[in-house]
Amino acid sequence: MITGKTKLLGVIGYPVEHSLSPVMHNAAIAQLGIDYVYLPFPIKPEDLHTAIQGFAAIGVVGFSVTIPHKQAIMQFLSAVEPIAQAVGAVNTVINKNNNFIGTNTDIEGFLAPLQTHQQDWSQKVAVILGNGGAARAVVAGCAKLGCAEIHVVGRNVHRLRDFSQSWENSPLQVNLNVHKWDELPRLIPQTDLLVNTTPIGMYPKVDESPLSAAEMANLSPQAIAYDLIYTPNPTKFLQQAQQVGATAIDGLEMLVQQGAAALKIWLQRQSVPVDVMRQALQKHLG
């Protein structure tokens, strides 16, 4: 029952109707029995500043940030925590005394399913497809794992150069190399962890993959392929990886874990019902 006392949480993005965040957060809220609701807010890039001012005016407690706002939002916040500064992207915002503070729980979310794979990451090569806000969290995660080499592959040479330069003064020890897309066939055979951070393969274009079947055929069967996309499940990218015998990780667990970390921040709690969040998503996705 939503009343005038119900506290507001939400997710901003554009588009945002595909977001599963409301499903898992509202399931957790119901389990906890608290008077909150989590809503999706479709906000066009040109309306971002106005929306943030509106959120302040109505006392929104906190919100998630997804594509395409993860970097653009930083200029409109009162403060950005060091982890998000290091990544250069915000995915979680909390309202503290009418000041919006940005942080990043994507790194925690990204690492959670990888930590179940016992590996000597110091010997491993990570290749990351894409160079947007999500890729930044993955680079930071791979640096935290201690990967021997981190390669980022993108299509826009200028954006790649900016991406590379933005890590030069980072507090994170990032062993980063950037490459144009046409260099990918050379990188694939030596890849231990292949991560798709692009939106290619996301609903509704479910028949697309960032790689051709021929490119994926050169991936080692010992490799891990990780797609940050969580719907459809599995994506075409992960289907291709499974066909060569690689381990596939979809974006669902990252979504759950980054969401749980965000919910702890908003509610100021030590724990939240992670299993309930995961089960709600699995049920929703059938």
PDB file of all heavy atoms in Angstrom, residues 150-184:
ATOM      1  N   ILE A 150      45.154  -6.235 -19.049  1.00  0.00           N
ATOM      2  CA  ILE A 150      43.767  -5.828 -19.282  1.00  0.00           C
ATOM      3  C   ILE A 150      43.727  -5.108 -20.636  1.00  0.00           C
ATOM      4  O   ILE A 150      44.423  -4.107 -20.833  1.00  0.00           O
ATOM      5  CB  ILE A 150      43.252  -4.885 -18.177  1.00  0.00           C
ATOM      6  CG1 ILE A 150      43.378  -5.540 -16.790  1.00  0.00           C
ATOM      7  CG2 ILE A 150      41.797  -4.493 -18.440  1.00  0.00           C
ATOM      8  CD1 ILE A 150      43.118  -4.591 -15.627  1.00  0.00           C
ATOM      9  N   HIS A 151      42.947  -5.660 -21.549  1.00  0.00           N
ATOM     10  CA  HIS A 151      42.820  -5.080 -22.889  1.00  0.00           C
ATOM     11  C   HIS A 151      41.385  -4.601 -23.093  1.00  0.00           C
ATOM     12  O   HIS A 151      40.439  -5.352 -22.833  1.00  0.00           O
ATOM     13  CB  HIS A 151      43.164  -6.117 -23.955  1.00  0.00           C
ATOM     14  CG  HIS A 151      44.547  -6.659 -23.835  1.00  0.00           C
ATOM     15  ND1 HIS A 151      45.640  -6.058 -24.428  1.00  0.00           N
ATOM     16  CD2 HIS A 151      45.020  -7.749 -23.176  1.00  0.00           C
ATOM     17  CE1 HIS A 151      46.735  -6.757 -24.139  1.00  0.00           C
ATOM     18  NE2 HIS A 151      46.390  -7.783 -23.383  1.00  0.00           N
ATOM     19  N   VAL A 152      41.242  -3.362 -23.560  1.00  0.00           N
ATOM     20  CA  VAL A 152      39.919  -2.807 -23.859  1.00  0.00           C
ATOM     21  C   VAL A 152      39.834  -2.583 -25.362  1.00  0.00           C
ATOM     22  O   VAL A 152      40.732  -1.997 -25.975  1.00  0.00           O
ATOM     23  CB  VAL A 152      39.685  -1.487 -23.091  1.00  0.00           C
ATOM     24  CG1 VAL A 152      38.437  -0.769 -23.604  1.00  0.00           C
ATOM     25  CG2 VAL A 152      39.547  -1.765 -21.600  1.00  0.00           C
ATOM     26  N   VAL A 153      38.747  -3.080 -25.951  1.00  0.00           N
ATOM     27  CA  VAL A 153      38.566  -3.001 -27.400  1.00  0.00           C
ATOM     28  C   VAL A 153      37.342  -2.153 -27.702  1.00  0.00           C
ATOM     29  O   VAL A 153      36.266  -2.372 -27.124  1.00  0.00           O
ATOM     30  CB  VAL A 153      38.387  -4.415 -28.000  1.00  0.00           C
ATOM     31  CG1 VAL A 153      38.337  -4.350 -29.519  1.00  0.00           C
ATOM     32  CG2 VAL A 153      39.505  -5.339 -27.543  1.00  0.00           C
ATOM     33  N   GLY A 154      37.506  -1.171 -28.585  1.00  0.00           N
ATOM     34  CA  GLY A 154      36.390  -0.291 -28.951  1.00  0.00           C
ATOM     35  C   GLY A 154      36.456   0.109 -30.408  1.00  0.00           C
ATOM     36  O   GLY A 154      37.424  -0.210 -31.113  1.00  0.00           O
ATOM     37  N   ARG A 155      35.435   0.811 -30.855  1.00  0.00           N
ATOM     38  CA  ARG A 155      35.351   1.170 -32.278  1.00  0.00           C
ATOM     39  C   ARG A 155      35.793   2.610 -32.556  1.00  0.00           C
ATOM     40  O   ARG A 155      36.202   2.926 -33.660  1.00  0.00           O
ATOM     41  CB  ARG A 155      33.907   0.980 -32.772  1.00  0.00           C
ATOM     42  CG  ARG A 155      33.435  -0.464 -32.651  1.00  0.00           C
ATOM     43  CD  ARG A 155      32.092  -0.687 -33.334  1.00  0.00           C
ATOM     44  NE  ARG A 155      31.556  -2.007 -33.017  1.00  0.00           N
ATOM     45  CZ  ARG A 155      31.906  -3.132 -33.635  1.00  0.00           C
ATOM     46  NH1 ARG A 155      32.825  -3.118 -34.585  1.00  0.00           N
ATOM     47  NH2 ARG A 155      31.363  -4.293 -33.290  1.00  0.00           N
ATOM     48  N   ASN A 156      35.690   3.474 -31.565  1.00  0.00           N
ATOM     49  CA  ASN A 156      35.995   4.891 -31.770  1.00  0.00           C
ATOM     50  C   ASN A 156      37.391   5.199 -31.217  1.00  0.00           C
ATOM     51  O   ASN A 156      37.620   5.135 -30.005  1.00  0.00           O
ATOM     52  CB  ASN A 156      34.922   5.747 -31.073  1.00  0.00           C
ATOM     53  CG  ASN A 156      35.104   7.231 -31.324  1.00  0.00           C
ATOM     54  OD1 ASN A 156      36.199   7.763 -31.185  1.00  0.00           O
ATOM     55  ND2 ASN A 156      34.022   7.897 -31.690  1.00  0.00           N
ATOM     56  N   VAL A 157      38.314   5.523 -32.110  1.00  0.00           N
ATOM     57  CA  VAL A 157      39.718   5.727 -31.727  1.00  0.00           C
ATOM     58  C   VAL A 157      39.869   6.861 -30.708  1.00  0.00           C
ATOM     59  O   VAL A 157      40.632   6.748 -29.748  1.00  0.00           O
ATOM     60  CB  VAL A 157      40.587   6.032 -32.980  1.00  0.00           C
ATOM     61  CG1 VAL A 157      42.040   6.258 -32.591  1.00  0.00           C
ATOM     62  CG2 VAL A 157      40.481   4.895 -33.976  1.00  0.00           C
ATOM     63  N   HIS A 158      39.110   7.934 -30.905  1.00  0.00           N
ATOM     64  CA  HIS A 158      39.221   9.094 -29.993  1.00  0.00           C
ATOM     65  C   HIS A 158      38.718   8.736 -28.598  1.00  0.00           C
ATOM     66  O   HIS A 158      39.340   9.088 -27.592  1.00  0.00           O
ATOM     67  CB  HIS A 158      38.448  10.287 -30.563  1.00  0.00           C
ATOM     68  CG  HIS A 158      38.929  10.714 -31.913  1.00  0.00           C
ATOM     69  ND1 HIS A 158      40.195  11.208 -32.120  1.00  0.00           N
ATOM     70  CD2 HIS A 158      38.322  10.684 -33.129  1.00  0.00           C
ATOM     71  CE1 HIS A 158      40.351  11.482 -33.413  1.00  0.00           C
ATOM     72  NE2 HIS A 158      39.231  11.168 -34.040  1.00  0.00           N
ATOM     73  N   ARG A 159      37.595   8.021 -28.546  1.00  0.00           N
ATOM     74  CA  ARG A 159      37.051   7.613 -27.237  1.00  0.00           C
ATOM     75  C   ARG A 159      37.992   6.633 -26.541  1.00  0.00           C
ATOM     76  O   ARG A 159      38.141   6.676 -25.323  1.00  0.00           O
ATOM     77  CB  ARG A 159      35.658   6.996 -27.406  1.00  0.00           C
ATOM     78  CG  ARG A 159      34.576   8.029 -27.694  1.00  0.00           C
ATOM     79  CD  ARG A 159      33.189   7.410 -27.638  1.00  0.00           C
ATOM     80  NE  ARG A 159      32.900   6.875 -26.318  1.00  0.00           N
ATOM     81  CZ  ARG A 159      31.892   6.054 -26.057  1.00  0.00           C
ATOM     82  NH1 ARG A 159      31.084   5.665 -27.024  1.00  0.00           N
ATOM     83  NH2 ARG A 159      31.683   5.600 -24.834  1.00  0.00           N
ATOM     84  N   LEU A 160      38.606   5.759 -27.322  1.00  0.00           N
ATOM     85  CA  LEU A 160      39.568   4.811 -26.746  1.00  0.00           C
ATOM     86  C   LEU A 160      40.757   5.539 -26.132  1.00  0.00           C
ATOM     87  O   LEU A 160      41.214   5.196 -25.043  1.00  0.00           O
ATOM     88  CB  LEU A 160      40.073   3.846 -27.819  1.00  0.00           C
ATOM     89  CG  LEU A 160      39.201   2.634 -28.122  1.00  0.00           C
ATOM     90  CD1 LEU A 160      39.729   1.916 -29.355  1.00  0.00           C
ATOM     91  CD2 LEU A 160      39.156   1.671 -26.940  1.00  0.00           C
ATOM     92  N   ARG A 161      41.244   6.539 -26.857  1.00  0.00           N
ATOM     93  CA  ARG A 161      42.396   7.306 -26.362  1.00  0.00           C
ATOM     94  C   ARG A 161      42.031   8.034 -25.062  1.00  0.00           C
ATOM     95  O   ARG A 161      42.788   8.020 -24.088  1.00  0.00           O
ATOM     96  CB  ARG A 161      42.864   8.295 -27.425  1.00  0.00           C
ATOM     97  CG  ARG A 161      44.218   8.953 -27.104  1.00  0.00           C
ATOM     98  CD  ARG A 161      44.673   9.838 -28.227  1.00  0.00           C
ATOM     99  NE  ARG A 161      43.692  10.904 -28.454  1.00  0.00           N
ATOM    100  CZ  ARG A 161      43.370  11.361 -29.674  1.00  0.00           C
ATOM    101  NH1 ARG A 161      43.893  10.844 -30.745  1.00  0.00           N
ATOM    102  NH2 ARG A 161      42.485  12.345 -29.795  1.00  0.00           N
ATOM    103  N   ASP A 162      40.837   8.640 -25.046  1.00  0.00           N
ATOM    104  CA  ASP A 162      40.365   9.321 -23.836  1.00  0.00           C
ATOM    105  C   ASP A 162      40.209   8.327 -22.683  1.00  0.00           C
ATOM    106  O   ASP A 162      40.555   8.631 -21.540  1.00  0.00           O
ATOM    107  CB  ASP A 162      39.021  10.009 -24.099  1.00  0.00           C
ATOM    108  CG  ASP A 162      39.138  11.194 -25.049  1.00  0.00           C
ATOM    109  OD1 ASP A 162      40.280  11.641 -25.293  1.00  0.00           O
ATOM    110  OD2 ASP A 162      38.097  11.656 -25.557  1.00  0.00           O
ATOM    111  N   PHE A 163      39.682   7.146 -23.005  1.00  0.00           N
ATOM    112  CA  PHE A 163      39.482   6.093 -22.007  1.00  0.00           C
ATOM    113  C   PHE A 163      40.816   5.713 -21.380  1.00  0.00           C
ATOM    114  O   PHE A 163      40.956   5.642 -20.156  1.00  0.00           O
ATOM    115  CB  PHE A 163      38.840   4.872 -22.681  1.00  0.00           C
ATOM    116  CG  PHE A 163      38.413   3.786 -21.731  1.00  0.00           C
ATOM    117  CD1 PHE A 163      37.130   3.750 -21.232  1.00  0.00           C
ATOM    118  CD2 PHE A 163      39.287   2.772 -21.349  1.00  0.00           C
ATOM    119  CE1 PHE A 163      36.711   2.745 -20.370  1.00  0.00           C
ATOM    120  CE2 PHE A 163      38.891   1.769 -20.480  1.00  0.00           C
ATOM    121  CZ  PHE A 163      37.597   1.751 -19.992  1.00  0.00           C
ATOM    122  N   SER A 164      41.813   5.518 -22.229  1.00  0.00           N
ATOM    123  CA  SER A 164      43.146   5.129 -21.748  1.00  0.00           C
ATOM    124  C   SER A 164      43.753   6.211 -20.866  1.00  0.00           C
ATOM    125  O   SER A 164      44.244   5.945 -19.764  1.00  0.00           O
ATOM    126  CB  SER A 164      44.051   4.843 -22.945  1.00  0.00           C
ATOM    127  OG  SER A 164      45.333   4.477 -22.509  1.00  0.00           O
ATOM    128  N   GLN A 165      43.679   7.465 -21.343  1.00  0.00           N
ATOM    129  CA  GLN A 165      44.286   8.586 -20.611  1.00  0.00           C
ATOM    130  C   GLN A 165      43.613   8.816 -19.267  1.00  0.00           C
ATOM    131  O   GLN A 165      44.262   9.228 -18.307  1.00  0.00           O
ATOM    132  CB  GLN A 165      44.220   9.858 -21.465  1.00  0.00           C
ATOM    133  CG  GLN A 165      45.185   9.834 -22.649  1.00  0.00           C
ATOM    134  CD  GLN A 165      44.993  11.017 -23.583  1.00  0.00           C
ATOM    135  OE1 GLN A 165      44.002  11.727 -23.506  1.00  0.00           O
ATOM    136  NE2 GLN A 165      45.948  11.198 -24.485  1.00  0.00           N
ATOM    137  N   SER A 166      42.313   8.504 -19.190  1.00  0.00           N
ATOM    138  CA  SER A 166      41.559   8.780 -17.957  1.00  0.00           C
ATOM    139  C   SER A 166      42.028   7.911 -16.786  1.00  0.00           C
ATOM    140  O   SER A 166      41.726   8.213 -15.642  1.00  0.00           O
ATOM    141  CB  SER A 166      40.067   8.574 -18.199  1.00  0.00           C
ATOM    142  OG  SER A 166      39.771   7.199 -18.361  1.00  0.00           O
ATOM    143  N   TRP A 167      42.758   6.836 -17.072  1.00  0.00           N
ATOM    144  CA  TRP A 167      43.242   5.955 -16.003  1.00  0.00           C
ATOM    145  C   TRP A 167      44.652   6.317 -15.541  1.00  0.00           C
ATOM    146  O   TRP A 167      45.163   5.729 -14.591  1.00  0.00           O
ATOM    147  CB  TRP A 167      43.235   4.492 -16.469  1.00  0.00           C
ATOM    148  CG  TRP A 167      41.854   3.955 -16.644  1.00  0.00           C
ATOM    149  CD1 TRP A 167      41.111   3.933 -17.790  1.00  0.00           C
ATOM    150  CD2 TRP A 167      41.011   3.382 -15.627  1.00  0.00           C
ATOM    151  NE1 TRP A 167      39.876   3.390 -17.554  1.00  0.00           N
ATOM    152  CE2 TRP A 167      39.781   3.040 -16.239  1.00  0.00           C
ATOM    153  CE3 TRP A 167      41.186   3.135 -14.258  1.00  0.00           C
ATOM    154  CZ2 TRP A 167      38.738   2.454 -15.527  1.00  0.00           C
ATOM    155  CZ3 TRP A 167      40.134   2.545 -13.563  1.00  0.00           C
ATOM    156  CH2 TRP A 167      38.931   2.218 -14.195  1.00  0.00           C
ATOM    157  N   GLU A 168      45.283   7.266 -16.213  1.00  0.00           N
ATOM    158  CA  GLU A 168      46.705   7.531 -15.944  1.00  0.00           C
ATOM    159  C   GLU A 168      46.970   7.999 -14.516  1.00  0.00           C
ATOM    160  O   GLU A 168      48.002   7.688 -13.942  1.00  0.00           O
ATOM    161  CB  GLU A 168      47.259   8.520 -16.970  1.00  0.00           C
ATOM    162  CG  GLU A 168      47.449   7.866 -18.338  1.00  0.00           C
ATOM    163  CD  GLU A 168      47.808   8.861 -19.432  1.00  0.00           C
ATOM    164  OE1 GLU A 168      48.006  10.060 -19.115  1.00  0.00           O
ATOM    165  OE2 GLU A 168      47.885   8.429 -20.596  1.00  0.00           O
ATOM    166  N   ASN A 169      46.044   8.753 -13.929  1.00  0.00           N
ATOM    167  CA  ASN A 169      46.234   9.242 -12.560  1.00  0.00           C
ATOM    168  C   ASN A 169      45.356   8.500 -11.556  1.00  0.00           C
ATOM    169  O   ASN A 169      45.119   8.972 -10.450  1.00  0.00           O
ATOM    170  CB  ASN A 169      45.946  10.743 -12.494  1.00  0.00           C
ATOM    171  CG  ASN A 169      46.897  11.529 -13.376  1.00  0.00           C
ATOM    172  OD1 ASN A 169      48.093  11.260 -13.376  1.00  0.00           O
ATOM    173  ND2 ASN A 169      46.379  12.472 -14.141  1.00  0.00           N
ATOM    174  N   SER A 170      44.890   7.314 -11.957  1.00  0.00           N
ATOM    175  CA  SER A 170      43.991   6.553 -11.087  1.00  0.00           C
ATOM    176  C   SER A 170      44.736   5.971  -9.897  1.00  0.00           C
ATOM    177  O   SER A 170      45.878   5.537 -10.022  1.00  0.00           O
ATOM    178  CB  SER A 170      43.349   5.411 -11.884  1.00  0.00           C
ATOM    179  OG  SER A 170      42.631   4.563 -11.017  1.00  0.00           O
ATOM    180  N   PRO A 171      44.085   5.944  -8.714  1.00  0.00           N
ATOM    181  CA  PRO A 171      44.695   5.276  -7.553  1.00  0.00           C
ATOM    182  C   PRO A 171      44.772   3.755  -7.741  1.00  0.00           C
ATOM    183  O   PRO A 171      45.515   3.081  -7.037  1.00  0.00           O
ATOM    184  CB  PRO A 171      43.763   5.643  -6.394  1.00  0.00           C
ATOM    185  CG  PRO A 171      42.466   5.996  -7.036  1.00  0.00           C
ATOM    186  CD  PRO A 171      42.789   6.564  -8.375  1.00  0.00           C
ATOM    187  N   LEU A 172      43.980   3.238  -8.693  1.00  0.00           N
ATOM    188  CA  LEU A 172      44.033   1.801  -8.979  1.00  0.00           C
ATOM    189  C   LEU A 172      45.223   1.496  -9.880  1.00  0.00           C
ATOM    190  O   LEU A 172      45.522   2.252 -10.804  1.00  0.00           O
ATOM    191  CB  LEU A 172      42.748   1.352  -9.682  1.00  0.00           C
ATOM    192  CG  LEU A 172      41.450   1.476  -8.884  1.00  0.00           C
ATOM    193  CD1 LEU A 172      40.251   1.292  -9.803  1.00  0.00           C
ATOM    194  CD2 LEU A 172      41.417   0.455  -7.762  1.00  0.00           C
ATOM    195  N   GLN A 173      45.906   0.398  -9.602  1.00  0.00           N
ATOM    196  CA  GLN A 173      47.017  -0.031 -10.457  1.00  0.00           C
ATOM    197  C   GLN A 173      46.429  -0.764 -11.664  1.00  0.00           C
ATOM    198  O   GLN A 173      46.093  -1.938 -11.591  1.00  0.00           O
ATOM    199  CB  GLN A 173      47.961  -0.952  -9.672  1.00  0.00           C
ATOM    200  CG  GLN A 173      48.760  -0.228  -8.610  1.00  0.00           C
ATOM    201  CD  GLN A 173      49.674   0.847  -9.209  1.00  0.00           C
ATOM    202  OE1 GLN A 173      50.483   0.574 -10.091  1.00  0.00           O
ATOM    203  NE2 GLN A 173      49.526   2.079  -8.728  1.00  0.00           N
ATOM    204  N   VAL A 174      46.290  -0.054 -12.764  1.00  0.00           N
ATOM    205  CA  VAL A 174      45.613  -0.602 -13.937  1.00  0.00           C
ATOM    206  C   VAL A 174      46.622  -0.824 -15.059  1.00  0.00           C
ATOM    207  O   VAL A 174      47.214   0.121 -15.574  1.00  0.00           O
ATOM    208  CB  VAL A 174      44.491   0.352 -14.415  1.00  0.00           C
ATOM    209  CG1 VAL A 174      43.823  -0.197 -15.658  1.00  0.00           C
ATOM    210  CG2 VAL A 174      43.453   0.551 -13.310  1.00  0.00           C
ATOM    211  N   ASN A 175      46.818  -2.107 -15.416  1.00  0.00           N
ATOM    212  CA  ASN A 175      47.727  -2.475 -16.500  1.00  0.00           C
ATOM    213  C   ASN A 175      46.911  -2.541 -17.789  1.00  0.00           C
ATOM    214  O   ASN A 175      46.498  -3.613 -18.231  1.00  0.00           O
ATOM    215  CB  ASN A 175      48.373  -3.832 -16.178  1.00  0.00           C
ATOM    216  CG  ASN A 175      49.429  -4.218 -17.186  1.00  0.00           C
ATOM    217  OD1 ASN A 175      49.810  -3.420 -18.047  1.00  0.00           O
ATOM    218  ND2 ASN A 175      49.884  -5.453 -17.114  1.00  0.00           N
ATOM    219  N   LEU A 176      46.660  -1.371 -18.384  1.00  0.00           N
ATOM    220  CA  LEU A 176      45.640  -1.246 -19.422  1.00  0.00           C
ATOM    221  C   LEU A 176      46.241  -1.029 -20.813  1.00  0.00           C
ATOM    222  O   LEU A 176      47.165  -0.244 -20.997  1.00  0.00           O
ATOM    223  CB  LEU A 176      44.721  -0.058 -19.077  1.00  0.00           C
ATOM    224  CG  LEU A 176      43.528   0.196 -19.981  1.00  0.00           C
ATOM    225  CD1 LEU A 176      42.541  -0.952 -19.912  1.00  0.00           C
ATOM    226  CD2 LEU A 176      42.835   1.492 -19.580  1.00  0.00           C
ATOM    227  N   ASN A 177      45.673  -1.751 -21.773  1.00  0.00           N
ATOM    228  CA  ASN A 177      45.995  -1.552 -23.189  1.00  0.00           C
ATOM    229  C   ASN A 177      44.685  -1.340 -23.936  1.00  0.00           C
ATOM    230  O   ASN A 177      43.702  -2.027 -23.643  1.00  0.00           O
ATOM    231  CB  ASN A 177      46.686  -2.795 -23.768  1.00  0.00           C
ATOM    232  CG  ASN A 177      47.909  -3.207 -22.962  1.00  0.00           C
ATOM    233  OD1 ASN A 177      48.983  -2.682 -23.146  1.00  0.00           O
ATOM    234  ND2 ASN A 177      47.722  -4.149 -22.032  1.00  0.00           N
ATOM    235  N   VAL A 178      44.659  -0.412 -24.878  1.00  0.00           N
ATOM    236  CA  VAL A 178      43.441  -0.209 -25.669  1.00  0.00           C
ATOM    237  C   VAL A 178      43.698  -0.561 -27.130  1.00  0.00           C
ATOM    238  O   VAL A 178      44.817  -0.407 -27.627  1.00  0.00           O
ATOM    239  CB  VAL A 178      42.885   1.237 -25.545  1.00  0.00           C
ATOM    240  CG1 VAL A 178      42.526   1.552 -24.110  1.00  0.00           C
ATOM    241  CG2 VAL A 178      43.852   2.260 -26.111  1.00  0.00           C
ATOM    242  N   HIS A 179      42.653  -1.050 -27.788  1.00  0.00           N
ATOM    243  CA  HIS A 179      42.787  -1.552 -29.158  1.00  0.00           C
ATOM    244  C   HIS A 179      41.558  -1.194 -29.971  1.00  0.00           C
ATOM    245  O   HIS A 179      40.435  -1.183 -29.454  1.00  0.00           O
ATOM    246  CB  HIS A 179      42.909  -3.088 -29.165  1.00  0.00           C
ATOM    247  CG  HIS A 179      43.970  -3.614 -28.263  1.00  0.00           C
ATOM    248  ND1 HIS A 179      45.272  -3.835 -28.660  1.00  0.00           N
ATOM    249  CD2 HIS A 179      43.926  -3.968 -26.949  1.00  0.00           C
ATOM    250  CE1 HIS A 179      45.972  -4.300 -27.642  1.00  0.00           C
ATOM    251  NE2 HIS A 179      45.177  -4.392 -26.593  1.00  0.00           N
ATOM    252  N   LYS A 180      41.776  -0.983 -31.259  1.00  0.00           N
ATOM    253  CA  LYS A 180      40.648  -0.853 -32.187  1.00  0.00           C
ATOM    254  C   LYS A 180      40.033  -2.229 -32.398  1.00  0.00           C
ATOM    255  O   LYS A 180      40.697  -3.257 -32.219  1.00  0.00           O
ATOM    256  CB  LYS A 180      41.126  -0.268 -33.519  1.00  0.00           C
ATOM    257  CG  LYS A 180      41.579   1.180 -33.419  1.00  0.00           C
ATOM    258  CD  LYS A 180      41.883   1.758 -34.787  1.00  0.00           C
ATOM    259  CE  LYS A 180      43.061   1.028 -35.438  1.00  0.00           C
ATOM    260  NZ  LYS A 180      43.460   1.647 -36.708  1.00  0.00           N
ATOM    261  N   TRP A 181      38.783  -2.222 -32.812  1.00  0.00           N
ATOM    262  CA  TRP A 181      38.009  -3.463 -32.934  1.00  0.00           C
ATOM    263  C   TRP A 181      38.676  -4.484 -33.871  1.00  0.00           C
ATOM    264  O   TRP A 181      38.607  -5.687 -33.642  1.00  0.00           O
ATOM    265  CB  TRP A 181      36.594  -3.145 -33.423  1.00  0.00           C
ATOM    266  CG  TRP A 181      35.601  -4.188 -33.013  1.00  0.00           C
ATOM    267  CD1 TRP A 181      35.202  -5.269 -33.740  1.00  0.00           C
ATOM    268  CD2 TRP A 181      34.899  -4.269 -31.764  1.00  0.00           C
ATOM    269  NE1 TRP A 181      34.286  -6.014 -33.037  1.00  0.00           N
ATOM    270  CE2 TRP A 181      34.077  -5.420 -31.818  1.00  0.00           C
ATOM    271  CE3 TRP A 181      34.871  -3.481 -30.606  1.00  0.00           C
ATOM    272  CZ2 TRP A 181      33.239  -5.800 -30.764  1.00  0.00           C
ATOM    273  CZ3 TRP A 181      34.041  -3.868 -29.571  1.00  0.00           C
ATOM    274  CH2 TRP A 181      33.238  -5.016 -29.650  1.00  0.00           C
ATOM    275  N   ASP A 182      39.338  -3.978 -34.918  1.00  0.00           N
ATOM    276  CA  ASP A 182      39.926  -4.921 -35.892  1.00  0.00           C
ATOM    277  C   ASP A 182      41.128  -5.685 -35.339  1.00  0.00           C
ATOM    278  O   ASP A 182      41.635  -6.613 -35.983  1.00  0.00           O
ATOM    279  CB  ASP A 182      40.279  -4.211 -37.221  1.00  0.00           C
ATOM    280  CG  ASP A 182      41.247  -3.048 -37.035  1.00  0.00           C
ATOM    281  OD1 ASP A 182      41.840  -2.924 -35.949  1.00  0.00           O
ATOM    282  OD2 ASP A 182      41.402  -2.254 -37.987  1.00  0.00           O
ATOM    283  N   GLU A 183      41.589  -5.320 -34.146  1.00  0.00           N
ATOM    284  CA  GLU A 183      42.692  -6.059 -33.504  1.00  0.00           C
ATOM    285  C   GLU A 183      42.190  -7.240 -32.668  1.00  0.00           C
ATOM    286  O   GLU A 183      42.979  -8.032 -32.146  1.00  0.00           O
ATOM    287  CB  GLU A 183      43.510  -5.112 -32.613  1.00  0.00           C
ATOM    288  CG  GLU A 183      44.250  -4.022 -33.387  1.00  0.00           C
ATOM    289  CD  GLU A 183      44.983  -3.056 -32.455  1.00  0.00           C
ATOM    290  OE1 GLU A 183      45.771  -3.524 -31.623  1.00  0.00           O
ATOM    291  OE2 GLU A 183      44.715  -1.845 -32.548  1.00  0.00           O
ATOM    292  N   LEU A 184      40.874  -7.370 -32.547  1.00  0.00           N
ATOM    293  CA  LEU A 184      40.273  -8.406 -31.700  1.00  0.00           C
ATOM    294  C   LEU A 184      40.689  -9.836 -32.069  1.00  0.00           C
ATOM    295  O   LEU A 184      41.009 -10.624 -31.169  1.00  0.00           O
ATOM    296  CB  LEU A 184      38.754  -8.249 -31.743  1.00  0.00           C
ATOM    297  CG  LEU A 184      37.918  -8.850 -30.628  1.00  0.00           C
ATOM    298  CD1 LEU A 184      38.459  -8.493 -29.248  1.00  0.00           C
ATOM    299  CD2 LEU A 184      36.477  -8.402 -30.755  1.00  0.00           C
TER     300      LEU A 184
END
